[in-house]
Amino acid sequence: MLHIDEEQIRSLLSYEELIPAMEQVLIRFSSGKIQQPVRSLLMVPEYAGIFGMMPAVDGDVIGVKLVLVYEKNAALELPTHQAVIQLFSAKTGEPLASMDGRLITEMRTAAVSAVATKLLSKPDARVLAVLGTGVQARAHIRALRLARAFDEIRVWGRTPERAQQVADELDAHAVLDLEQAVRGADVVASVAHVNEPLVRGEWLEPDAYVNAVATVGLARRELDDAVMDAAIVVESREAAMRESGDILKSGAEVYAELGELLAGSVALPSGRRVYKALGIGAEDVAAAKLVYEKTF
């Protein structure tokens, strides 16, 4: 059985290959070709941690991601999300590979946002606003540049120095005021750690598109009700109705799954569009399979 560490994954995995792989896995998922339950969670209250299990069966591969979320790690300069992915043969049950899941989680999250951005934002989108300064801010800038030809990329964060650092690293522009970062943006990527709405509908252009990636859980919001008055697109309806506070607390209806839109079984919506990301195990398994196959 192979063990593949993060540095090996970094050398093997690219957004250019991962983005089309995510398109295909989303289509397979929505067409019922992938068997996958909604993730199960085990709370670790004494250490303010969460342990999640995300299995999926996709063709000849079975996989499971074991992911741990420790938000307090940020103060310790440790990753807040850590993970391991295990792959098995669906034909024989034999273990194939174990691999570090942190970078795969980082990259597949941004890659799915790139898929959604290419599908749901206007083709001439030129201004991107990224709200957040962590791992996902950097990943989203890298991935979304492959989806649209942005002339301006704005970075906002609660700590101006960190926003400037991200901007300097990735040839973007740091913006101190949250509202100014959002107003006039064609695409907004919400990737900051929040519990209450960060993006307000009154700031958005009528044809703005929003990637909402920051929150998972019924108690957390990142978008206010005015933003949610839009066509809401998700990876999994079942997961959205169990894991998204933005959807359930706003009373918004899910318009479609990404895979349905990609396959053409549901027409693209008109008006404002919001992709509410939650992350599903099928994405992790598909990304891990891609890495596994590239080791040979």
Side-chain angles (χ1 to χ4, degrees):
M1 183 178 67
L2 289 176
H3 176 72
I4 308 171
D5 64 23
E6 181 168 313
E7 288 310 306
Q8 291 174 287
I9 293 167
R10 194 178 302 278
S11 70
L12 293 169
L13 196 59
S14 70
Y15 285 114
E16 287 81 359
E17 291 181 297
L18 186 57
I19 290 169
M22 292 300 98
E23 289 181 355
Q24 293 305 309
V25 76
L26 289 163
I27 292 170
R28 292 198 302 276
F29 173 78
S30 291
S31 64
K33 295 179 181 178
I34 294 176
Q35 181 181 343
Q36 178 205 280
V38 175
R39 92 188 92 213
S40 58
L41 300 177
L42 178 64
M43 310 308 291
V44 190
E46 59 268 39
Y47 299 109
I50 303 172
F51 174 49
M53 290 156 281
M54 302 169 66
V57 183
D58 183 4
D60 59 355
V61 169
I62 298 172
V64 59
K65 182 171 82 171
L66 306 177
V67 58
L68 297 104
V69 182
Y70 281 68
E71 297 292 354
K72 291 184 178 180
N73 278 4
L76 304 173
E77 298 186 353
L78 293 171
T80 57
H81 290 63
Q82 304 194 62
V84 174
I85 300 173
Q86 178 70 56
L87 292 182
F88 304 86
S89 166
K91 297 177 181 178
T92 65
E94 295 172 282
L96 300 176
S98 66
M99 62 187 76
D100 186 279
R102 193 211 64 79
L103 182 60
I104 286 176
T105 301
E106 171 190 325
M107 292 184 68
R108 66 81 163 146
T109 301
V112 176
S113 289
V115 170
T117 299
K118 183 177 179 181
L119 183 71
L120 297 170
S121 69
K122 57 185 182 180
D124 62 347
R126 290 294 180 265
V127 180
L128 167 65
V130 177
L131 312 180
T133 59
V135 163
Q136 282 302 327
R138 291 169 170 84
H140 273 72
I141 291 173
R142 294 186 178 105
L144 296 189
R145 276 181 163 145
L146 298 176
R148 289 285 180 256
F150 295 109
D151 296 324
E152 180 185 359
I153 298 178
R154 307 168 183 171
V155 180
W156 172 88
R158 284 179 287 261
T159 305
E161 294 79 10
R162 293 188 65 183
Q164 189 63 58
Q165 182 181 19
V166 174
D168 290 344
E169 286 178 17
L170 295 166
D171 193 25
H173 172 60
V175 178
L176 297 179
D177 183 78
L178 174 60
E179 181 178 347
Q180 289 181 359
V182 174
R183 284 196 179 274
D186 300 306
V187 176
V188 177
S190 171
V191 294
H193 176 68
V194 292
N195 292 307
E196 301 296 331
L198 185 69
V199 184
R200 303 197 174 278
E202 65 192 80
W203 301 341
L204 292 169
E205 298 297 321
D207 58 354
Y209 162 70
V210 179
N211 288 303
V213 186
T215 62
V216 177
L218 299 181
R220 300 176 63 193
R221 297 282 302 268
E222 60 183 308
L223 310 176
D224 73 2
D225 287 354
V227 180
M228 295 299 292
D229 184 15
I232 307 301
V233 179
V234 299
E235 294 138 300
S236 161
R237 281 190 179 84
E238 184 182 9
M241 299 312 295
R242 289 177 53 179
E243 296 185 329
S244 175
D246 281 308
I247 291 173
L248 293 177
K249 288 190 173 184
S250 69
E253 294 186 4
V254 172
Y255 175 80
E257 293 181 346
L258 276 171
E260 294 172 329
L261 299 177
L262 289 164
S265 58
V266 177
L268 288 174
S270 59
R272 182 181 295 158
R273 303 164 181 182
V274 172
Y275 160 52
K276 176 57 200 174
L278 294 167
I280 57 175
E283 296 161 353
D284 298 299
V285 173
K289 183 180 180 183
L290 181 60
V291 170
Y292 174 71
E293 290 175 343
K294 287 174 69 68
T295 62
F296 298 101

